Structure formats: structure tokens, C-alpha cells
């Protein structure tokens, strides 16, 4: 029986599934909201030949045996803003990540809203 995500940081390397149960990729890392220090997004490794990391919100994710399920379609997640597997999300790109999922983005001009943990 799936349960709401508790300590998502323990799920690195697990499969990430879309709302229909289709595999999107593997959970790579977690980004927290710096205003609350709560997990907000995960990066998911996608791609066969040229791998990249895409961002997906995890507020409403649930976990089951060996997977994390997010309430978004596989296509929406795969089309999300991405970084290289050894890359870093630039501060000026944070708003695009939120916007892709229809989420409100607010941050002070000199502050980051997402931090990798």
C-alpha cells in the first residue's frame, strides 16, 4: 500500500513513476525549499544515450515498495527544465521549474528558493 513521502532523501536511486504508474526514471537527488527546509522537488535521471536530470515536484508524491509515484504525466516530467547529470540548477532558472508545473515562484532577487540536499 503506497504512503505519502516521509524522508524522501532515503529514496535516492529508486524508480520514479508517473500518475499512471509508468516509469519515468531514477530519483537522483532532492531539492528543498530554502524558506522551509522541506523537500520540494526531486531530480530524475532520464534518457537512454544522453542522460539528463529533470525536475519534478514531490509535495504530493507517494512511496511504495521500490518506487516514488508523482502526480504528473511522464511527458510533462520529461519536458520539464533539466540540467546535465553533473550540472547545477542556476538561480535564474528556478522560476522556470516552478512555472512548468503551474506553481507560484517567489524569491528575493539575491536569494535562492531551491537548495540541493
Amino acid at each position: 500500500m503506497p504512503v505519502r513521502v516521509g524522508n524522501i532523501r532515503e529514496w535516492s536511486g529508486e524508480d520514479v513513476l508517473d500518475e499512471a504508474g509508468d516509469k519515468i526514471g531514477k530519483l537522483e537527488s532532492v531539492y528543498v525549499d530554502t524558506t522551509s527546509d522541506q523537500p520540494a522537488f526531486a531530480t530524475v535521471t532520464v534518457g537512454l544515450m544522453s542522460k539528463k536530470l529533470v525536475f519534478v515536484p514531490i509535495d504530493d508524491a507517494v512511496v511504495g515498495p521500490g518506487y516514488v509515484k508523482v502526480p504528473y504525466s511522464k511527458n510533462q516530467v520529461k519536458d520539464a527544465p533539466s540540467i546535465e547529470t553533473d550540472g547545477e540548477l542556476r538561480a535564474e532558472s528556478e522560476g522556470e521549474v516552478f512555472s512548468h508545473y503551474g506553481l507560484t515562484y517567489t524569491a528575493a532577487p539575491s536569494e535562492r528558493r531551491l537548495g540541493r540536499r
Side-chain angles (χ1 to χ4, degrees):
M1 172 91 180
V3 296
R4 187 154 164 74
V5 171
N7 189 355
I8 189 77
R9 294 176 188 106
E10 296 175 2
W11 290 85
S12 181
E14 297 294 345
D15 288 340
V16 176
L17 309 179
D18 75 356
E19 60 194 358
D22 294 328
K23 182 178 174 183
I24 299 169
K26 297 277 186 184
L27 191 139
E28 193 270 336
S29 62
V30 173
Y31 282 72
V32 299
D33 185 325
T34 59
T35 60
S36 66
D37 203 38
Q38 294 298 309
F41 284 85
T43 52
V44 181
T45 305
V46 297
L48 297 174
M49 301 303 272
S50 59
K51 295 192 181 292
K52 63 181 181 175
L53 299 173
V54 294
F55 289 83
V56 64
I58 53 174
D59 285 347
D60 294 323
V62 294
V63 296
Y67 70 86
V68 176
K69 188 174 183 180
V70 295
Y72 301 96
S73 72
K74 185 176 186 175
N75 286 337
Q76 184 177 15
V77 175
K78 286 193 169 192
D79 290 340
S82 65
I83 57 174
E84 298 297 319
T85 55
D86 60 350
E88 181 179 317
L89 179 64
R90 298 179 339 178
E92 58 269 14
S93 299
E94 287 184 353
E96 295 171 26
V97 174
F98 283 78
S99 177
H100 180 76
Y101 292 99
L103 302 172
T104 302
Y105 177 73
T106 53
S110 62
E111 294 181 15
R112 294 194 66 120
R113 172 83 184 268
L114 296 175
R116 186 175 175 179
R117 296 283 192 268

